[in-house]
């Protein structure tokens, strides 16, 4: 049986000071082709060193209000992923409570 591979490609345009001006990503298996983004967080697990390696990038024109929403949605997604990976309902609920607190303090929730 042949191995199947999937490719995710990131292209970052930098200014003269190496600050990201444009982020573009492609994931053909997911139907994404040269989709522009304003921010990204990529985390990978190094099992040998037991450490997370990461790349956090955002374009210089990413608005702060959008960054706050991006962080909130990232925290919510991490809670969901944690639950799927561990089935630890108690800690997931704690994480969700923090997400609600985070949104409240940043006034992200609309009444």
């Amino acid at each position: 049986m042949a191995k199947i591979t999937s490719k995710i490609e990131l292209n970052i345009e930098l200014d003269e000071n190496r600050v990201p001006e444009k982020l573009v990503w492609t994931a053909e298996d997911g139907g994404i082709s040269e989709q522009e983004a304003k921010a990204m967080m990529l985390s990978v697990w190094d099992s040998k060193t037991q450490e997370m390696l990461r790349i956090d990038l955002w374009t210089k024109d990413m608005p702060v209000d959008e960054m706050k929403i991006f962080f909130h949605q990232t925290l919510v997604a991490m809670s969901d992923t944690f639950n799927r990976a561990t089935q630890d309902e108690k800690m997931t609920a704690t994480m969700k409570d923090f997400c609600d607190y985070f949104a409240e303090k940043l006034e992200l929730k609309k009444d």
Side-chain angles (χ1 to χ4, degrees):
M1 179 188 251
K3 290 188 178 185
I4 299 171
T5 60
S6 183
K7 181 178 178 180
I8 299 171
E9 184 176 318
L10 300 165
N11 291 297
I12 297 97
E13 289 182 20
L14 306 172
D15 69 9
E16 63 279 354
N17 296 313
R18 302 190 56 80
V19 175
E21 287 189 316
K22 188 175 181 181
L23 302 171
V24 178
W25 67 291
T26 299
E28 291 179 4
D29 287 354
I32 307 295
S33 179
E34 297 186 23
Q35 177 76 40
E36 191 166 344
K38 294 287 183 190
M40 64 162 273
M41 293 181 185
L42 174 67
S43 300
V44 295
W45 181 247
D46 184 332
S47 187
K48 185 177 180 181
T49 63
Q50 296 286 292
E51 293 179 321
M52 178 185 70
L53 308 173
R54 63 178 232 240
I55 300 170
D56 303 325
L57 295 174
W58 56 93
T59 60
K60 58 185 173 185
D61 65 343
M62 173 74 168
V64 172
D65 60 330
E66 287 184 28
M67 183 62 86
K68 291 175 181 181
I69 295 166
F70 176 60
F71 264 83
H72 178 255
Q73 291 180 5
T74 299
L75 292 168
V76 170
M78 289 174 60
S79 300
D80 293 338
T81 301
F82 179 81
N83 189 42
R84 282 194 321 273
T86 67
Q87 286 78 54
D88 186 333
E89 297 290 336
K90 188 174 180 181
M91 184 53 71
T92 298
T94 300
M95 292 171 73
K96 293 283 187 177
D97 286 345
F98 175 75
C99 292
D100 290 341
Y101 173 80
F102 186 90
E104 179 185 324
K105 289 299 181 185
L106 292 178
E107 300 178 350
L108 300 178
K109 297 270 182 170
K110 309 277 191 280
D111 292 326

